[in-house]
């Protein structure tokens, strides 16, 4: 699940990014509204966390321009403490939710998960691929009635495949979805997580649902 965080307080942004990364989110940071608008336009995100008070272009303008351009990525705006006018304007410009500063990280995480679950359009609470069920909001996975324990990064890779079940997803696309855009490590890291997923979601159940398509990528097959 890929999130764009637009926040000019660098320390706060890094703390939030670190926490979300531990929960399986890939987070890109923009430190001003102009950069945030560019990243939101050039990339695909599951959600955007957008501060109101930003240098260059404020959060309201970023939100309004994205909506005017037909970008309906879910947006949570960070407003001033007890700023009821901020909250009202955030919703009026097209935001889906708001959170007042200072905020609880636990509340931010819960609201962000709910925002991702709702998405920019109606989507099911859980993704079902054959008898494999992936719950993005609860970060849970099961095969039939059997719960499967996954690390946050394993879940992020599986979620990227499940969203396009039956289609071939390239290694580059999985890197983009499960790691942030600054990742400069070895792309073969994807293969490591694919192998780990096979050991957890397929091998114990006698399945071969995670298929390698040579030279193209990977496909999650729902056929039993």
């Amino acid at each position: 699940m890929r999130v764009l965080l637009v926040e000019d307080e660098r320390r706060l942004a890094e703390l939030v990014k670190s926490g979300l990364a531990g929960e399986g989110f890939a987070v890109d940071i923009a430190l001003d509204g102009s950069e945030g608008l560019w990243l939101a336009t050039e990339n695909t995100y599951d959600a955007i966390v957008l501060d109101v008070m930003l240098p260059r272009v404020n959060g309201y303008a970023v939100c309004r321009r994205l909506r005017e351009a037909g970008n309906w990525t879910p947006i949570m705006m960070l407003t001033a403490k007890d700023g009821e006018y901020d909250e009202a304007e955030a919703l009026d410009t097209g935001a889906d939710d708001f959170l007042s500063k200072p905020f609880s990280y636990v509340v931010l995480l819960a609201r962000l998960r709910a925002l991702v679950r709702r998405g920019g359009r109606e989507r099911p609470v859980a993704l079902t691929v054959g008898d494999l069920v992936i719950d993005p909001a609860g970060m849970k996975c099961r095969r039939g009635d059997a719960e499967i324990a996954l690390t946050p990064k394993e879940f992020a890779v599986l979620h990227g495949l499940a969203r396009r079940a039956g289609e071939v997803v390239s290694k580059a696309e999985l890197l983009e979805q499960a790691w942030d855009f600054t990742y400069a490590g070895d792309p073969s890291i994807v293969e490591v997580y694919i192998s780990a997923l096979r050991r957890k979601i397929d091998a114990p159940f006698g399945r071969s649902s995670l298929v390698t398509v040579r030279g193209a990528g990977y496909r999650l097959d729902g056929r039993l």
Side-chain angles (χ1 to χ4, degrees):
M1 289 171 282
R2 193 174 183 193
V3 173
L4 173 62
L5 173 60
V6 190
E7 168 60 64
D8 63 321
E9 295 181 42
R10 184 183 293 272
R11 183 171 179 274
L12 173 60
E14 292 293 346
L15 285 172
V16 171
K17 175 177 179 175
S18 177
L20 292 178
E23 297 293 333
F25 291 88
V27 183
D28 294 340
I29 293 176
L31 297 174
D32 62 62
S34 180
E35 183 185 13
L37 184 59
W38 181 79
L39 285 172
T41 302
E42 294 296 315
N43 300 287
T44 300
Y45 294 98
D46 293 288
I48 298 171
V49 180
L50 179 63
D51 191 22
V52 169
M53 302 299 291
L54 292 168
R56 303 180 71 180
V57 181
N58 67 42
Y60 300 132
V62 172
C63 184
R64 184 173 59 253
R65 291 183 194 178
L66 288 173
R67 297 309 189 225
E68 288 173 350
N71 185 326
W72 294 100
T73 302
I75 294 176
M76 177 190 295
M77 295 195 74
L78 303 178
T79 66
K81 184 179 181 181
D82 300 323
E84 60 181 21
Y85 292 104
D86 282 351
E87 294 167 1
E89 189 166 354
L91 296 175
D92 286 343
T93 54
D96 300 273
D97 197 2
F98 59 82
L99 192 60
S100 298
K101 288 182 174 181
F103 53 80
S104 159
Y105 174 74
V106 173
V107 174
L108 170 68
L109 180 59
R111 288 195 175 186
L112 189 56
R113 282 178 171 165
L115 209 57
V116 169
R117 184 174 68 239
R118 294 198 301 268
R121 54 182 173 80
E122 188 175 350
R123 65 176 64 177
V125 172
L127 300 172
T128 302
V129 185
D131 63 346
L132 186 67
V133 180
I134 300 98
D135 175 11
M139 296 283 287
K140 295 179 181 179
C141 175
R142 61 183 170 84
R143 171 81 75 181
D145 294 327
E147 294 286 338
I148 302 172
L150 300 176
T151 67
K153 193 63 73 178
E154 288 169 351
F155 189 91
V157 173
L158 180 60
H159 182 249
L161 290 163
R163 289 176 66 178
R164 294 175 55 188
E167 300 178 19
V168 176
V169 183
S170 71
K171 188 182 295 183
E173 289 172 318
L174 288 173
L175 278 170
E176 182 178 298
Q177 289 190 35
W179 284 262
D180 62 73
F181 78 103
T182 61
Y183 178 76
D186 188 346
S188 64
I189 188 68
V190 173
E191 298 168 18
V192 175
Y193 283 93
I194 292 293
S195 296
L197 284 171
R198 284 184 174 132
R199 290 194 296 270
K200 292 185 176 183
I201 70 171
D202 279 347
F205 306 95
R207 303 291 173 78
S208 301
S209 64
L210 190 41
V211 180
T212 297
V213 181
R214 190 174 298 276
Y218 305 95
R219 183 180 70 246
L220 187 62
D221 195 335
R223 289 176 294 181
L224 299 179

